[in-house]
């Protein structure tokens, strides 16, 4: 099993909740589960997206599949307010998913980047989706990150961060492959969509918020990166300084794209 680069400390579990809130306005406009009744979420983490899905779609019954028991525990606490809804939690590896029911809809967000066999996850998703059912994916495309001016500390840290994920069996550019992976799993009517940020000093507040969010994302892998010898403490400090500098630079630009895909079985 690949090592999960963000880890499972409570600070990281909190970061996932904040992340889902920060990015919701970019992710959900393209997703439509209005016809859904039985929704499967694979890699549900601490229930950060599950909460949004339950709020947006009051008709759905939700099954959350997650590899790590402590994430499920946290998700159960985070979703305690939905006691009137049917929510099942299943501790399983999405690459070997085996459930005794099928679904009309599937949701996967920020998960395939962490698995060594993303095609297996989609094969298992296909097997659990009803004919005509819909799947939505949202995944990273980390090579799309461009920022100006050139800040070496941030550039070095980002390179090490992506190396760390690759060395641990993940793929920081898995978003690029979503169409191919869905097609290889047998899905039809595949549509791709790009979302993300292109911020500069014309929107200084959004730029500053994004720099702070990015800092927390980058730092979430720091402990493991240090243990692996990929960065030093001073590398973390410099990355943080560079992101602070980006907030105030007259010609600052922050560009990043993630990839969304939808497909039908
Ligand atoms: C970055 S988090 C995203 C969680 C959630 N989708 C969200 O957006 O808040 C990735 C989650 O996928 C889980 N995960 C990683 N590999 C998995 C696998 N093979 N099967 C199921 N879950 C997995 C991790 O334990 C982690 O909770």
């Amino acid at each position: 099993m690949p090592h999960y680069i963000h880890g499972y400390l409570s600070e990281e579990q909190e970061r996932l909740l904040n992340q889902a809130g920060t990015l919701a306005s970019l992710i959900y406009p393209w997703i439509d589960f209005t016809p859904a009744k039985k929704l499967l979420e694979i890699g549900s983490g601490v229930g950060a997206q599950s909460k949004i899905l339950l709020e947006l779609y009051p008709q759905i019954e939700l099954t959350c599949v997650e590899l790590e028991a402590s994430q499920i525990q946290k998700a159960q606490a985070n979703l305690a307010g939905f006691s009137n809804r049917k929510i099942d939690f299943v501790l399983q590896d999405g690459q070997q998913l085996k459930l005794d029911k099928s679904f009309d809809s599937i949701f996967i967000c920020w998960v395939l980047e962490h698995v060594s066999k993303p095609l297996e996850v989609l094969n298992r998703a296909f097997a659990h989706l009803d004919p005509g059912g819909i799947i939505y994916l949202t995944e990273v495309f980390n090579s799309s990150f461009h920022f100006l001016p050139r800040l070496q500390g941030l550039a070095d840290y980002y390179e090490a961060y992506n190396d760390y994920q690759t060395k641990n069996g993940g793929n920081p550019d898995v978003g690029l492959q979503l169409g191919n992976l869905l097609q290889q799993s047998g899905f039809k009517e595949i549509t791709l969509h790009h979302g993300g940020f292109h911020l500069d000093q014309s929107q200084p507040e959004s730029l500053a918020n994004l720099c702070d969010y990015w800092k927390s994302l980058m730092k979430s892998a720091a402990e493991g990166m240090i243990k692996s010898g990929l960065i030093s403490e001073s590398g973390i400090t410099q990355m943080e300084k560079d992101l602070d500098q980006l907030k105030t630079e007259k010609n600052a630009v922050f560009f990043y794209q993630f990839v969304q895909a939808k497909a039908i079985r």
Side-chain angles (χ1 to χ4, degrees):
M1 183 176 76
H3 171 74
Y4 177 57
I5 63 162
H6 303 298
Y8 297 108
L9 297 176
S10 61
E11 194 180 311
E12 166 58 17
Q13 292 183 319
E14 203 53 41
R15 188 191 68 82
L16 285 179
L17 282 179
N18 293 335
Q19 171 174 268
T22 304
L23 302 179
S25 64
L26 295 173
I27 292 175
Y28 285 93
W30 195 69
I31 291 174
D32 184 8
F33 284 125
T34 310
K37 290 197 171 60
K38 292 180 296 169
L39 177 64
L40 169 65
E41 182 182 0
I42 302 175
S44 47
V46 301
Q49 309 293 348
S50 329
K51 186 165 183 284
I52 296 172
L53 290 162
L54 288 163
E55 278 162 0
L56 285 175
Y57 302 104
Q59 82 286 1
I60 56 166
E61 291 181 9
L62 183 62
T63 298
C64 297
V65 169
E66 168 56 49
L67 184 65
E68 166 65 32
S70 63
Q71 298 286 79
I72 291 190
Q73 260 176 12
K74 194 73 182 176
Q76 284 169 328
N78 286 335
L79 302 178
F82 296 95
S83 55
N84 58 334
R85 304 287 293 276
K86 180 153 174 38
I87 311 171
D88 293 327
F89 296 93
V90 181
L91 182 64
Q92 270 192 32
D93 181 344
Q95 295 167 117
Q96 292 157 25
L97 187 68
K98 200 164 180 343
L99 303 174
D100 58 6
K101 61 192 274 200
S102 67
F103 301 85
D104 56 35
S105 312
I106 299 183
F107 175 86
I108 303 177
C109 182
W110 315 134
V111 177
L112 298 182
E113 62 173 300
H114 298 295
V115 303
S116 54
K117 294 179 183 155
L119 184 59
E120 286 304 307
V121 176
L122 295 185
N123 285 341
R124 298 315 301 152
F126 187 88
H128 287 81
L129 192 60
D130 297 333
I134 192 160
I135 184 167
Y136 280 96
L137 310 174
T138 302
E139 293 293 341
V140 294
F141 169 26
N142 284 4
S143 297
S144 70
F145 181 39
H146 283 269
F147 58 92
L148 295 172
R150 172 100 191 150
L151 296 168
Q152 199 58 46
L154 177 54
D156 290 347
Y157 189 99
Y158 194 66
E159 194 183 331
Y161 174 91
N162 288 310
D163 274 0
Y164 180 55
Q165 182 157 42
T166 306
K167 286 194 173 104
N168 281 289
N171 178 357
D173 286 326
V174 74
L176 276 188
Q177 291 295 337
L178 295 185
N180 289 330
L181 291 167
L182 285 164
Q183 194 264 338
Q184 287 161 25
S185 298
F187 286 95
K188 301 195 183 74
E189 297 179 45
I190 299 162
T191 312
L192 299 174
H193 175 78
H194 301 116
F197 323 92
H198 186 171
L199 290 173
D200 53 29
Q201 293 300 2
S202 66
Q203 299 170 78
E205 205 175 313
S206 302
L207 176 65
N209 289 339
L210 180 57
C211 289
D212 284 337
Y213 160 68
W214 209 250
K215 238 190 259 179
S216 69
L217 175 66
M218 293 295 99
K219 275 190 82 173
S220 66
E223 198 187 321
M225 288 165 70
I226 284 193
K227 279 189 192 144
S228 307
L230 286 167
I231 49 155
S232 59
E233 288 290 349
S234 64
I236 303 175
T237 311
Q238 193 55 51
M239 173 275 290
E240 292 187 288
K241 273 192 191 154
D242 285 359
L243 279 164
D244 281 335
Q245 190 179 333
L246 214 56
K247 292 180 193 172
T248 53
E249 278 279 345
K250 182 167 164 261
N251 292 315
V253 175
F254 191 121
F255 181 90
Y256 181 87
Q257 295 281 285
F258 57 80
V259 184
Q260 295 188 283
K262 70 176 165 184
I264 303 291
R265 175 176 170 169

